[in-house]
Amino acid sequence: MSIYNKISAGFSLAAGEPVTSGIEDVIYIFNQDEISLTYDAANPLIITGLTAVSSAKVYKFEGTNNSFNAISKLTKTQAGPRYTEEIDFNIAGLSVAVKSQLRAMGYGRVQAVVINNYKSSDSAIELFGAVNGLMLTDAERNAADETIEGGYKLKLTNPDKLKEPYPPRAVHIAPQSGTATYASTLAALEALTV
Protein backbone atom coordinates (compact mmCIF):
# COMPACT_ATOMS: atom_id res chain seq x y z
CA MET A 1 0.00 0.00 0.00
CA SER A 2 1.54 3.30 -1.04
CA ILE A 3 1.11 6.54 0.84
CA TYR A 4 -0.25 9.20 -1.48
CA ASN A 5 0.31 12.11 0.90
CA LYS A 6 3.86 12.84 2.01
CA ILE A 7 5.21 15.45 4.39
CA SER A 8 7.20 18.14 2.62
CA ALA A 9 8.44 20.65 5.22
CA GLY A 10 9.77 21.04 8.73
CA PHE A 11 8.91 23.73 11.25
CA SER A 12 10.60 25.53 14.11
CA LEU A 13 9.49 28.02 16.72
CA ALA A 14 9.84 31.60 15.56
CA ALA A 15 11.23 33.77 18.33
CA GLY A 16 10.49 36.96 16.38
CA GLU A 17 6.83 36.05 15.81
CA PRO A 18 5.75 33.67 18.60
CA VAL A 19 2.51 31.78 18.19
CA THR A 20 -0.44 33.47 19.92
CA SER A 21 -3.39 31.41 21.10
CA GLY A 22 -7.06 32.15 20.59
CA ILE A 23 -9.27 33.79 18.01
CA GLU A 24 -10.60 37.32 17.72
CA ASP A 25 -13.99 38.10 19.20
CA VAL A 26 -15.67 37.99 15.81
CA ILE A 27 -16.91 35.19 13.58
CA TYR A 28 -18.53 35.34 10.20
CA ILE A 29 -21.31 32.80 9.65
CA PHE A 30 -23.23 32.06 6.47
CA ASN A 31 -25.63 29.44 5.16
CA GLN A 32 -23.66 26.67 3.47
CA ASP A 33 -25.60 26.78 0.21
CA GLU A 34 -25.58 30.58 -0.12
CA ILE A 35 -21.85 31.28 -0.50
CA SER A 36 -19.82 29.56 -3.21
CA LEU A 37 -16.22 28.69 -2.33
CA THR A 38 -13.30 28.86 -4.77
CA TYR A 39 -10.26 26.76 -3.95
CA ASP A 40 -6.64 27.21 -4.96
CA ALA A 41 -6.05 24.87 -7.91
CA ALA A 42 -2.75 23.63 -6.46
CA ASN A 43 -3.78 23.38 -2.80
CA PRO A 44 -7.26 22.37 -1.51
CA LEU A 45 -6.38 23.80 1.91
CA ILE A 46 -6.63 27.37 0.56
CA ILE A 47 -9.87 29.17 -0.27
CA THR A 48 -9.25 31.97 -2.74
CA GLY A 49 -12.79 33.25 -3.15
CA LEU A 50 -16.19 33.59 -1.51
CA THR A 51 -19.04 34.44 -3.85
CA ALA A 52 -22.61 35.15 -2.79
CA VAL A 53 -25.28 33.10 -4.52
CA SER A 54 -27.96 35.60 -5.54
CA SER A 55 -28.29 38.20 -2.75
CA ALA A 56 -26.97 36.02 0.09
CA LYS A 57 -25.08 37.63 2.93
CA VAL A 58 -22.48 36.77 5.55
CA TYR A 59 -23.56 37.46 9.13
CA LYS A 60 -21.06 38.91 11.59
CA PHE A 61 -21.21 37.91 15.26
CA GLU A 62 -19.16 40.00 17.65
CA GLY A 63 -18.19 39.19 21.24
CA THR A 64 -15.90 40.48 23.97
CA ASN A 65 -13.21 39.24 26.34
CA ASN A 66 -12.23 36.07 24.51
CA SER A 67 -15.80 34.79 24.37
CA PHE A 68 -15.19 32.82 21.13
CA ASN A 69 -13.16 29.65 20.62
CA ALA A 70 -12.41 27.34 17.68
CA ILE A 71 -11.29 23.71 17.89
CA SER A 72 -10.15 21.23 15.25
CA LYS A 73 -9.55 17.61 16.30
CA LEU A 74 -8.06 14.80 14.21
CA THR A 75 -9.93 11.50 14.21
CA LYS A 76 -8.46 8.41 12.57
CA THR A 77 -11.02 6.44 10.54
CA GLN A 78 -10.79 3.40 8.27
CA ALA A 79 -11.01 5.77 5.30
CA GLY A 80 -8.21 8.00 6.59
CA PRO A 81 -7.86 11.04 8.80
CA ARG A 82 -10.96 13.15 9.40
CA TYR A 83 -11.39 16.32 11.43
CA THR A 84 -14.06 17.36 13.89
CA GLU A 85 -14.47 21.14 13.89
CA GLU A 86 -16.13 23.15 16.64
CA ILE A 87 -16.80 26.79 17.31
CA ASP A 88 -17.94 27.93 20.74
CA PHE A 89 -19.36 31.40 21.23
CA ASN A 90 -21.80 33.36 23.33
CA ILE A 91 -24.76 35.51 22.43
CA ALA A 92 -25.66 38.08 25.07
CA GLY A 93 -29.22 38.44 23.90
CA LEU A 94 -32.64 36.94 24.40
CA SER A 95 -34.83 38.39 21.68
CA VAL A 96 -37.12 36.51 19.31
CA ALA A 97 -34.64 37.36 16.53
CA VAL A 98 -31.84 35.61 18.48
CA LYS A 99 -34.05 32.58 19.07
CA SER A 100 -34.92 32.45 15.34
CA GLN A 101 -31.21 32.45 14.45
CA LEU A 102 -30.57 29.64 16.94
CA ARG A 103 -33.37 27.59 15.43
CA ALA A 104 -32.04 28.14 11.91
CA MET A 105 -28.49 27.10 12.92
CA GLY A 106 -29.90 23.95 14.52
CA TYR A 107 -31.70 22.77 11.41
CA GLY A 108 -29.66 24.17 8.56
CA ARG A 109 -25.98 23.89 7.82
CA VAL A 110 -23.69 26.87 8.08
CA GLN A 111 -20.04 27.60 7.51
CA ALA A 112 -17.99 29.91 9.70
CA VAL A 113 -14.88 32.03 9.26
CA VAL A 114 -12.67 32.79 12.26
CA ILE A 115 -9.73 35.16 12.61
CA ASN A 116 -6.82 33.80 14.60
CA ASN A 117 -4.98 36.03 17.04
CA TYR A 118 -1.77 34.73 15.42
CA LYS A 119 -1.52 36.78 12.23
CA SER A 120 1.97 35.77 11.02
CA SER A 121 0.66 32.87 8.97
CA ASP A 122 -1.15 32.22 5.73
CA SER A 123 -3.87 30.69 7.94
CA ALA A 124 -4.61 33.84 9.92
CA ILE A 125 -8.19 33.56 8.65
CA GLU A 126 -9.80 30.10 8.51
CA LEU A 127 -13.06 28.56 7.33
CA PHE A 128 -14.74 25.81 9.36
CA GLY A 129 -17.24 23.36 7.84
CA ALA A 130 -16.04 23.65 4.24
CA VAL A 131 -17.36 20.26 3.06
CA ASN A 132 -20.10 19.13 5.46
CA GLY A 133 -21.00 22.39 7.14
CA LEU A 134 -21.65 23.02 10.81
CA MET A 135 -24.83 22.76 12.88
CA LEU A 136 -25.78 24.17 16.23
CA THR A 137 -25.39 21.19 18.58
CA ASP A 138 -25.44 22.98 21.94
CA ALA A 139 -27.43 26.03 22.97
CA GLU A 140 -27.51 26.55 26.70
CA ARG A 141 -29.01 29.45 28.57
CA ASN A 142 -28.76 29.87 32.32
CA ALA A 143 -30.76 32.96 33.27
CA ALA A 144 -28.60 33.45 36.37
CA ASP A 145 -25.26 33.26 34.54
CA GLU A 146 -23.72 36.67 35.10
CA THR A 147 -20.74 36.02 32.83
CA ILE A 148 -22.92 36.45 29.72
CA GLU A 149 -25.80 38.28 31.35
CA GLY A 150 -28.24 35.40 30.93
CA GLY A 151 -27.47 34.94 27.23
CA TYR A 152 -26.78 31.76 25.31
CA LYS A 153 -23.65 29.60 25.17
CA LEU A 154 -23.50 28.04 21.70
CA LYS A 155 -21.53 25.33 19.95
CA LEU A 156 -21.39 24.81 16.20
CA THR A 157 -19.93 21.48 15.08
CA ASN A 158 -20.08 19.00 12.22
CA PRO A 159 -23.32 17.05 11.77
CA ASP A 160 -23.33 13.50 13.21
CA LYS A 161 -21.01 11.12 11.34
CA LEU A 162 -19.93 13.86 8.89
CA LYS A 163 -16.43 14.92 9.80
CA GLU A 164 -14.32 17.12 7.53
CA PRO A 165 -11.73 15.52 5.21
CA TYR A 166 -9.27 18.38 5.79
CA PRO A 167 -8.35 20.63 8.71
CA PRO A 168 -9.93 24.13 8.63
CA ARG A 169 -9.18 25.81 5.31
CA ALA A 170 -7.07 28.94 5.06
CA VAL A 171 -9.00 31.85 3.54
CA HIS A 172 -6.70 33.95 1.40
CA ILE A 173 -8.55 36.24 -1.05
CA ALA A 174 -6.73 38.57 -3.41
CA PRO A 175 -7.98 42.09 -4.23
CA GLN A 176 -9.01 43.07 -7.80
CA SER A 177 -5.33 43.45 -8.66
CA GLY A 178 -2.40 42.18 -6.64
CA THR A 179 -1.75 39.31 -4.28
CA ALA A 180 -3.82 38.10 -1.36
CA THR A 181 -3.10 39.63 2.03
CA TYR A 182 -4.72 39.60 5.45
CA ALA A 183 -6.26 43.02 4.68
CA SER A 184 -7.62 41.99 1.26
CA THR A 185 -9.17 38.83 2.74
CA LEU A 186 -10.82 40.79 5.54
CA ALA A 187 -12.12 43.35 3.02
CA ALA A 188 -13.65 40.56 0.90
CA LEU A 189 -15.43 39.18 3.97
CA GLU A 190 -16.70 42.59 5.04
CA ALA A 191 -18.01 43.24 1.51
CA LEU A 192 -20.35 40.25 1.92
CA THR A 193 -21.42 41.14 5.45
CA VAL A 194 -24.87 42.41 6.30
Side-chain angles (χ1 to χ4, degrees), residues 1 4 73-84 161-166:
M1 173 195 242
Y4 56 88
K73 295 185 252 183
L74 171 71
T75 303
K76 296 293 280 182
T77 70
Q78 291 179 348
R82 297 293 182 262
Y83 296 84
T84 299
K161 300 181 183 180
L162 292 176
K163 297 177 180 7
E164 292 292 318
Y166 295 98

Short mmCIF file of all heavy atoms in Angstrom, two decimals, residues 1 4 73-84 161-166:
data_model
loop_
_atom_site.label_atom_id
_atom_site.label_comp_id
_atom_site.label_asym_id
_atom_site.label_seq_id
_atom_site.Cartn_x
_atom_site.Cartn_y
_atom_site.Cartn_z
N MET A 1 0.85 -1.17 0.00
CA MET A 1 0.00 0.00 0.00
C MET A 1 0.90 1.24 0.00
O MET A 1 1.72 1.43 0.87
CB MET A 1 -0.89 -0.02 1.24
CG MET A 1 -1.68 1.24 1.41
SD MET A 1 -2.38 1.35 3.07
CE MET A 1 -4.07 1.36 2.69
N TYR A 4 -0.12 8.18 -0.45
CA TYR A 4 -0.25 9.20 -1.48
C TYR A 4 -0.05 10.61 -0.98
O TYR A 4 0.10 11.54 -1.76
CB TYR A 4 -1.57 9.07 -2.24
CG TYR A 4 -2.80 9.12 -1.38
CD1 TYR A 4 -3.40 10.32 -1.06
CD2 TYR A 4 -3.36 7.95 -0.88
CE1 TYR A 4 -4.53 10.36 -0.26
CE2 TYR A 4 -4.50 7.99 -0.08
CZ TYR A 4 -5.07 9.19 0.21
OH TYR A 4 -6.19 9.23 1.00
N LYS A 73 -10.10 18.83 15.73
CA LYS A 73 -9.55 17.61 16.30
C LYS A 73 -9.44 16.53 15.23
O LYS A 73 -10.42 16.26 14.51
CB LYS A 73 -10.45 17.07 17.42
CG LYS A 73 -10.55 17.96 18.63
CD LYS A 73 -11.35 17.28 19.72
CE LYS A 73 -12.70 17.94 19.86
NZ LYS A 73 -13.52 17.42 20.92
N LEU A 74 -8.28 15.90 15.14
CA LEU A 74 -8.06 14.80 14.21
C LEU A 74 -8.69 13.53 14.76
O LEU A 74 -8.57 13.21 15.95
CB LEU A 74 -6.56 14.57 14.01
CG LEU A 74 -6.18 13.31 13.23
CD1 LEU A 74 -6.56 13.48 11.76
CD2 LEU A 74 -4.70 13.03 13.36
N THR A 75 -9.37 12.80 13.89
CA THR A 75 -9.93 11.50 14.21
C THR A 75 -9.47 10.53 13.13
O THR A 75 -9.64 10.80 11.95
CB THR A 75 -11.48 11.54 14.22
OG1 THR A 75 -11.91 12.53 15.14
CG2 THR A 75 -12.05 10.20 14.60
N LYS A 76 -8.87 9.42 13.54
CA LYS A 76 -8.46 8.41 12.57
C LYS A 76 -9.66 7.53 12.25
O LYS A 76 -10.35 7.06 13.14
CB LYS A 76 -7.33 7.56 13.13
CG LYS A 76 -6.05 8.33 13.40
CD LYS A 76 -5.39 8.83 12.16
CE LYS A 76 -4.61 7.73 11.49
NZ LYS A 76 -3.89 8.13 10.31
N THR A 77 -9.94 7.33 10.97
CA THR A 77 -11.02 6.44 10.54
C THR A 77 -10.45 5.41 9.58
O THR A 77 -9.30 5.52 9.13
CB THR A 77 -12.15 7.22 9.83
OG1 THR A 77 -11.66 7.68 8.56
CG2 THR A 77 -12.62 8.40 10.67
N GLN A 78 -11.24 4.42 9.22
CA GLN A 78 -10.79 3.40 8.27
C GLN A 78 -10.53 4.00 6.90
O GLN A 78 -9.74 3.48 6.12
CB GLN A 78 -11.80 2.27 8.18
CG GLN A 78 -11.87 1.45 9.45
CD GLN A 78 -12.90 0.34 9.37
OE1 GLN A 78 -13.72 0.30 8.46
NE2 GLN A 78 -12.84 -0.57 10.33
N ALA A 79 -11.19 5.10 6.60
CA ALA A 79 -11.01 5.77 5.30
C ALA A 79 -9.87 6.78 5.32
O ALA A 79 -9.54 7.35 4.29
CB ALA A 79 -12.30 6.46 4.89
N GLY A 80 -9.29 7.02 6.48
CA GLY A 80 -8.21 8.00 6.59
C GLY A 80 -8.50 9.03 7.66
O GLY A 80 -9.51 8.94 8.36
N PRO A 81 -7.65 10.03 7.77
CA PRO A 81 -7.86 11.04 8.80
C PRO A 81 -9.07 11.92 8.48
O PRO A 81 -9.31 12.28 7.33
CB PRO A 81 -6.57 11.86 8.78
CG PRO A 81 -6.00 11.64 7.43
CD PRO A 81 -6.44 10.29 6.99
N ARG A 82 -9.83 12.23 9.51
CA ARG A 82 -10.96 13.15 9.40
C ARG A 82 -10.86 14.13 10.57
O ARG A 82 -10.24 13.84 11.58
CB ARG A 82 -12.30 12.41 9.45
CG ARG A 82 -12.53 11.46 8.30
CD ARG A 82 -12.68 12.20 6.97
NE ARG A 82 -12.94 11.31 5.86
CZ ARG A 82 -12.03 10.86 5.01
NH1 ARG A 82 -10.77 11.20 5.18
NH2 ARG A 82 -12.35 10.09 4.01
N TYR A 83 -11.50 15.27 10.42
CA TYR A 83 -11.39 16.32 11.43
C TYR A 83 -12.76 16.73 11.94
O TYR A 83 -13.68 16.95 11.16
CB TYR A 83 -10.68 17.55 10.83
CG TYR A 83 -9.26 17.23 10.43
CD1 TYR A 83 -8.98 16.66 9.20
CD2 TYR A 83 -8.22 17.46 11.31
CE1 TYR A 83 -7.69 16.33 8.84
CE2 TYR A 83 -6.91 17.14 10.96
CZ TYR A 83 -6.66 16.57 9.72
OH TYR A 83 -5.38 16.23 9.38
N THR A 84 -12.87 16.80 13.26
CA THR A 84 -14.06 17.36 13.89
C THR A 84 -13.76 18.83 14.14
O THR A 84 -12.72 19.16 14.70
CB THR A 84 -14.36 16.65 15.22
OG1 THR A 84 -14.59 15.27 14.96
CG2 THR A 84 -15.58 17.25 15.89
N LYS A 161 -21.67 12.03 12.29
CA LYS A 161 -21.01 11.12 11.34
C LYS A 161 -20.49 11.81 10.09
O LYS A 161 -20.17 11.16 9.11
CB LYS A 161 -21.94 9.97 10.96
CG LYS A 161 -22.37 9.14 12.15
CD LYS A 161 -23.26 8.00 11.74
CE LYS A 161 -23.72 7.26 12.99
NZ LYS A 161 -24.58 6.13 12.67
N LEU A 162 -20.42 13.14 10.07
CA LEU A 162 -19.93 13.86 8.89
C LEU A 162 -18.76 14.76 9.28
O LEU A 162 -18.90 15.97 9.40
CB LEU A 162 -21.06 14.70 8.27
CG LEU A 162 -22.18 13.91 7.62
CD1 LEU A 162 -23.27 14.84 7.13
CD2 LEU A 162 -21.66 13.06 6.47
N LYS A 163 -17.63 14.16 9.47
CA LYS A 163 -16.43 14.92 9.80
C LYS A 163 -15.82 15.50 8.52
O LYS A 163 -16.14 15.06 7.42
CB LYS A 163 -15.43 14.01 10.51
CG LYS A 163 -15.93 13.49 11.85
CD LYS A 163 -14.95 12.54 12.47
CE LYS A 163 -15.34 11.96 13.78
NZ LYS A 163 -16.60 12.17 14.33
N GLU A 164 -14.96 16.47 8.68
CA GLU A 164 -14.32 17.12 7.53
C GLU A 164 -13.11 16.32 7.04
O GLU A 164 -12.36 15.77 7.86
CB GLU A 164 -13.88 18.53 7.91
CG GLU A 164 -15.02 19.48 8.19
CD GLU A 164 -15.82 19.83 6.95
OE1 GLU A 164 -15.23 20.06 5.89
OE2 GLU A 164 -17.05 19.87 7.07
N PRO A 165 -12.88 16.25 5.73
CA PRO A 165 -11.73 15.52 5.21
C PRO A 165 -10.41 16.27 5.36
O PRO A 165 -9.34 15.68 5.19
CB PRO A 165 -12.08 15.32 3.74
CG PRO A 165 -13.00 16.43 3.42
CD PRO A 165 -13.77 16.72 4.68
N TYR A 166 -10.46 17.54 5.64
CA TYR A 166 -9.27 18.38 5.79
C TYR A 166 -9.39 19.19 7.08
O TYR A 166 -10.49 19.43 7.56
CB TYR A 166 -9.14 19.38 4.63
CG TYR A 166 -8.90 18.75 3.29
CD1 TYR A 166 -9.95 18.54 2.40
CD2 TYR A 166 -7.62 18.39 2.90
CE1 TYR A 166 -9.72 17.97 1.16
CE2 TYR A 166 -7.39 17.82 1.65
CZ TYR A 166 -8.45 17.61 0.78
OH TYR A 166 -8.21 17.05 -0.44
#
